[in-house]
Amino acid sequence: MTSRDSNNTNITGPMTRSEYEEAFRRRDKRSLHELVAEEEAIIDNEAADFETAEKEAIAAASSAWVPLTPQYIDSHFQLWSLSRKSGDVYEGVQLPGDAKWRVGGARSILNRDFNPDMYEEDLFEMKHRASAELKEGIGELSPVQYAIHVQSTPTYQENMVISSFADEYYYLAGHIGWVDLHDSGLAQRLRTLMLDPFLVGLRHDVTHTDANVLIDPDTDNAFSAIEQNNMPFDVAIGPHQLRHACHLAYKHPRLKLVLNHCGLPLEYTSTNPDEEVNIAQWKADLEYLSRYPNVYCKLTATSGKIVSSYGDGNVEEKEWSPKNVLTQAIGFFGPERCLFGSGWPICRVVAPAVTGWSDSGTGGALVAAKKHARISGPPVKGYRGQTVAHRELSVWEAARLVEHCMEEAGFGAIEDKRKVFGTNAQTVYTLNIRPYGSSRVL
């Protein structure tokens, strides 16, 4: 038998496969380590290409979308449905239209569905009017592009419904959801609620409850849990509870408190006409509350008290007018701690004639200029050709009213308006600002 020498290349006789591969090894065959390294290099290159493409896409989107600086935000609007079928969100709850309003036509105005499309139409009307004024250089109000929904009913289900609207309606920058202050397990509940990316604040309307609820030990534990989670809390109270809110602000200095409707909500004053409210006491309590740096104030058109039209020049009634209430509030809090809120759709209850401002409901400076022929062209109509609504306030008219009250209080500078209509809301709430401010272009 022929012997084989592994060191001799002139091998005779049969060879095993391993001997053959060892003797005639392929120099172009890559090892497993080399194959893994090559695969990792391919993956790294693909990731780099994807990152580059993503950066280019973001740059293109940024160049296409040039947002207002800052974006104007309506920090207070509501939606609801009259459907009360079994299992519906609003089953067994009281809506604003169910209250015993003492304002003529209020119940007929509010007893209907208010859906996201209806609010979006108001935003488009404001965009139409504000853009026209800015183009002519006779106005300073920019269009409201984003909005914050405020809970209408004391249910957690409403939170989920409103959050689902955000997928379609890009103007929705967040919502303020309901929270049960009497829930002993609120700390655990908050962990679940805060999983919602569109939840920007919490609210529990205590307007029609005892004033001591704000300083009750049980509810104090709830406020402590909210404070620990760094969530803003919208304070929906009446004038009889302002002093108790001072105690709340003092005891929880890291809790951002946002006073709704200047502490004098129209829904309270117009559904409790027999409730004695001293206007001087309201001013004193509001001024005292404004001293706490963690308290902010929403300037809404649904602040004050409506008794009748002001054609008779009743001085006492004018003291309660939305114009006077808003002017007082911004004078106390200043533009650094005030937020604009339309109060839609409850603002529709307010007729321009009872706001206390003679120019309310006229459509704006551009309408007046065209009316007096200072600017040529056809009369300015509202969105989709609608004429100016003289019977109820829209988002546009609510914004004009707040702007006028700011000027009355000595804060008419454009920088102050940008704070009240834009940056303050983004400072208080963590908002989801997305491009274009609306889901569709009508």
Side-chain angles (χ1 to χ4, degrees), residues 326-345:
L326 292 172
T327 304
Q328 287 285 347
I330 193 171
F332 291 147
F333 284 88
E336 289 77 17
R337 288 188 291 133
C338 285
L339 294 74
F340 163 70
S342 66
W344 190 94

Side-chain angles (χ1 to χ4, degrees), residues 39-85:
E39 186 68 21
E40 290 179 348
I42 293 174
I43 294 174
D44 291 341
N45 290 335
E46 290 178 349
D49 292 341
F50 178 80
E51 185 177 355
T52 301
E54 186 179 25
K55 289 181 178 179
E56 291 176 352
I58 293 175
S62 300
S63 61
W65 175 53
V66 182
L68 293 171
T69 308
Q71 297 89 353
Y72 276 23
I73 298 166
D74 179 359
S75 65
H76 198 105
F77 87 102
Q78 294 174 300
L79 304 171
W80 63 73
S81 170
L82 296 184
S83 177
R84 308 292 178 87
K85 297 179 182 178

Side-chain angles (χ1 to χ4, degrees), residues 133 141 301 309-310 317-318 320-327 350-365 368 390 393-408 417:
E133 287 195 359
L141 270 183
S309 64
Y310 298 118
E317 291 183 6
K318 287 185 178 181
W320 295 100
S321 70
K323 173 203 165 190
N324 283 359
V325 169
L326 292 172
T327 304
V350 184
V354 298
T355 60
W357 180 35
S358 59
D359 198 35
S360 181
T362 60
H390 292 279
L393 291 185
S394 61
V395 174
W396 165 245
E397 291 295 344
R400 291 185 62 238
L401 176 62
V402 171
E403 179 191 36
H404 171 73
C405 294
M406 290 182 63
E407 294 171 350
E408 286 283 300
K417 294 177 184 178

Side-chain angles (χ1 to χ4, degrees), residues 101-116:
W101 288 85
R102 300 299 178 91
V103 178
R107 298 192 67 179
S108 61
I109 292 173
L110 299 178
N111 268 322
R112 57 175 298 181
D113 293 348
F114 288 97
N115 57 51

Side-chain angles (χ1 to χ4, degrees), residues 131-198:
S131 299
E133 287 195 359
L134 291 172
K135 183 178 180 180
E136 295 292 343
I138 60 175
E140 293 181 342
L141 270 183
S142 297
V144 168
Q145 287 190 300
Y146 300 96
I148 303 173
H149 180 272
V150 177
Q151 59 93 202
S152 303
T153 61
T155 61
Y156 288 117
Q157 290 84 350
E158 185 187 35
N159 298 356
M160 296 184 289
V161 171
I162 299 302
S163 186
S164 67
F165 288 154
D167 293 335
E168 182 179 359
Y169 298 92
Y170 277 24
Y171 67 76
L172 186 60
H175 70 93
I176 297 168
W178 179 77
V179 66
D180 187 1
L181 294 177
H182 305 286
D183 184 1
S184 58
L186 181 60
Q188 181 64 33
R189 169 77 70 172
L190 286 176
R191 295 190 185 97
T192 303
L193 292 176
M194 293 182 67
L195 294 176
D196 181 357
F198 286 94

